[in-house]
Amino acid sequence: MKKIVLVSKEWSPQDKSGLGYASSNHENILKEINANVVTIGLKKHDKDEFIDIKNLFHFLLNFKRIFKKVDFILEKNKPNIVMVESLQTIISEVFLLRAFKKNIKSTIISHGISIYPYTNSIKYILRFLIWLPYIFFLKKIIKKISFFISLDTNSPNHRNYDTKIAKKISKEIITYNNFSRFENIKKNIDLNTSNEKVILCIGYINHIKNQIDLIKLSKSLKNINVKIKIIYNNYDKNYLDKLITKIEENNLQNIMLCLDKDVILEDEILKSWLLINTSITE
């Protein structure tokens, strides 16, 4: 039986995010194929092992202690392979570096990277300049891993830059398409109990997720029996206030906001008519 150390910064149910759900889903998939999975998270997660990394500054102040803890985990579990969910998380990079040092096979499950500017604003240009050195580090990491796992090998989006690097250096790439965390839900829901159709938008609320674009759609749907439901957890307060103001100013009754803790997310998805993604990064 292969032993796999699966590392992620986010895990559901503590983290109700795409990365959190994906990490837990991948853990289940690996266990279904009889892999011996050791899960690694941050201190707040109820996983097999945890690393206390609060942020980059905290890591730089405590890197010797953190490296020692990671080495202990790897020596204790003796994995055949280290798998990390996403990059730019610190915890993923730390485990990859220590796996390289110990000659343990490793792989990256790509969720894309966020380096290049989303817009031409000063904020994103400065952010790009700060992250620019990471590109050179990224290339070295991808060269050293055993293989690369990607959802999409052909996307032109700049968030797919890590996959482009893997392709350029002819790294073995495994693609996956069973990414849905809802595909195994066994629930009988009557989809015909209402004639009302719901367009569902899920995710944290901020300018990157760009939910204000839904205002225009909501206006065009005012006279038909279709509603837009935005389910969110984290949010940027200024952006949320701006979104609510626009809804009120336009007197839109067919768009609603719901906290994810107030609904059963899986049921909302199964009952919805359409899922919509307004993110500027997709």
Side-chain angles (χ1 to χ4, degrees), residues 32-90:
E32 285 170 5
I33 60 174
N34 296 319
N36 183 355
V37 183
V38 179
T39 53
I40 315 291
L42 299 178
K43 193 171 184 179
K44 65 178 179 177
H45 299 124
D46 183 21
K47 308 314 292 181
D48 298 319
E49 305 276 2
F50 75 86
I51 297 293
D52 186 18
I53 302 177
K54 294 179 175 63
N55 50 47
L56 180 59
F57 185 66
H58 176 262
F59 166 72
L60 292 174
L61 288 177
N62 299 277
F63 72 92
K64 288 185 178 179
R65 177 182 61 80
I66 291 169
F67 278 164
K68 187 175 180 180
K69 176 74 180 288
V70 172
D71 287 345
F72 173 77
I73 290 172
L74 294 176
E75 289 164 8
K76 171 186 170 184
N77 290 285
K78 295 180 172 53
N80 299 100
I81 188 165
V82 171
M83 303 181 75
V84 302
E85 293 271 2
S86 190
L87 292 172
Q88 294 179 285
T89 66
I90 304 177

Side-chain angles (χ1 to χ4, degrees), residues 136-169:
F136 304 101
F137 179 64
L138 177 66
K139 291 178 179 178
K140 288 187 176 183
I141 282 180
I142 293 176
K143 282 181 180 178
K144 288 188 175 183
I145 60 173
S146 305
F147 56 94
F148 188 87
I149 303 175
S150 177
L151 177 63
D152 186 350
T153 59
N154 297 308
S155 171
N157 193 295
H158 61 75
R159 281 181 57 85
N160 211 38
Y161 186 66
D162 53 349
T163 301
K164 291 178 183 177
I165 292 173
K167 288 178 70 175
K168 187 174 182 179
I169 64 174

Side-chain angles (χ1 to χ4, degrees), residues 230-248:
I230 302 171
I231 298 178
Y232 68 98
N233 44 30
N234 297 325
Y235 58 91
D236 177 286
K237 187 179 186 306
N238 289 334
Y239 190 86
L240 178 60
D241 289 344
K242 184 178 178 182
L243 177 62
I244 292 172
T245 299
K246 284 189 173 294
I247 292 171
E248 292 174 348

Side-chain angles (χ1 to χ4, degrees), residues 1-7 11-12 22-40 46-49 77 81 83 85 109 178 184:
M1 181 184 293
K2 296 286 185 182
K3 179 175 276 192
I4 298 172
V5 162
L6 182 60
V7 182
W11 295 90
S12 66
S23 302
S24 297
N25 189 46
H26 292 157
E27 175 190 357
N28 293 333
I29 289 171
L30 290 169
K31 287 179 177 178
E32 285 170 5
I33 60 174
N34 296 319
N36 183 355
V37 183
V38 179
T39 53
I40 315 291
D46 183 21
K47 308 314 292 181
D48 298 319
E49 305 276 2
N77 290 285
I81 188 165
M83 303 181 75
E85 293 271 2
I109 303 174
N178 59 335
N184 294 320

Side-chain angles (χ1 to χ4, degrees), residues 240-260:
L240 178 60
D241 289 344
K242 184 178 178 182
L243 177 62
I244 292 172
T245 299
K246 284 189 173 294
I247 292 171
E248 292 174 348
E249 285 176 349
N250 289 279
N251 193 29
L252 297 173
Q253 304 298 317
N254 63 344
I255 185 167
M256 63 192 83
L257 295 162
C258 302
L259 281 166
D260 63 355

